[in-house]
Amino acid sequence: MIRRLTGMLLAVALAGCAANSGNDSGQAGMRSGEISEQALGGVGAEPGSIAYFQALTGDRVFFEVDESTLSAEAVSILDAQVEWLSVHRRYTATVEGHADERGTREYNLALGVRRAVSVRNYLVSQGIAADRIAIVTFGKERPVETCSNEFCWSVNRRAVTVLAEAAVS
């Protein structure tokens, strides 16, 4: 319960940070069965929409320093993504890998790839078709927060699942 509440508070804080920075695609994910108009920015998101996915399921997972291993909390969020993507097959996903500002550009690009691959591999292992999931790395190039302290670094060490409607052939 405390972990879930902490996660929701962090998600609310990240939503504010993401809205202020304009650097990150999507909004911070929330884990909650209840969705209010306020949590969705007053847009009245439709079930099955991308905004609904971001608010209900959560669109990002976080990593420890120099890690690409999924935490238990990350797996929980990814399990919710698997459930949502299994029902809403009209969407494809691009997993963006990100890193904090420490380290070289090359190192952080490689770390972003490892994080995105870790998320993609988990989604595929749980039954999401591999051809529905692409990956991209941004390394340290698209921070959510720009300051040199642990809070900023921790929110920048992430993988974000960005949805798009699949092209109809």
Side-chain angles (χ1 to χ4, degrees):
M1 182 68 168
I2 291 174
R3 178 180 246 182
R4 186 174 216 177
L5 181 58
T6 303
M8 287 174 53
L9 291 173
L10 179 60
V12 169
L14 288 175
C17 295
N20 291 337
S21 72
N23 291 348
D24 199 21
S25 55
Q27 297 174 349
M30 281 181 30
R31 299 281 300 149
S32 171
E34 306 265 330
I35 300 178
S36 68
E37 287 293 312
Q38 185 176 12
L40 291 171
V43 296
E46 294 285 324
S49 70
I50 293 172
Y52 195 86
F53 170 83
Q54 292 168 333
L56 180 66
T57 303
D59 66 348
R60 64 197 60 205
V61 296
F62 299 95
F63 296 89
E64 294 298 322
V65 176
D66 297 326
E67 287 291 328
S68 58
T69 305
L70 298 171
S71 67
E73 187 174 351
V75 167
S76 176
I77 292 168
L78 293 176
D79 284 342
Q81 288 185 13
V82 166
E83 185 177 328
W84 197 92
L85 287 165
S86 295
V87 171
H88 302 93
R89 297 180 183 274
R90 73 179 188 266
Y91 291 103
T92 59
T94 299
V95 180
E96 299 176 344
H98 299 270
D100 64 36
E101 69 184 49
R102 298 170 295 175
T104 66
R105 181 175 188 273
E106 293 77 20
Y107 176 81
N108 284 314
L109 286 170
L111 181 57
V113 166
R114 289 194 306 274
R115 288 174 174 165
V117 166
S118 182
V119 168
R120 181 182 186 273
N121 287 347
Y122 185 82
L123 295 173
V124 169
S125 77
Q126 299 302 303
I128 303 302
D131 63 355
R132 289 180 61 199
I133 307 167
I135 63 165
V136 64
T137 183
F138 292 109
K140 62 183 179 179
E141 306 302 319
R142 291 190 178 182
V144 171
E145 284 291 332
T146 53
C147 62
S148 295
N149 67 43
E150 183 53 37
F151 171 76
C152 292
W153 296 330
S154 69
V155 297
N156 290 331
R157 296 188 304 257
R158 69 199 187 282
V160 181
T161 303
V162 179
L163 300 181
E165 295 228 20
V168 178
S169 13

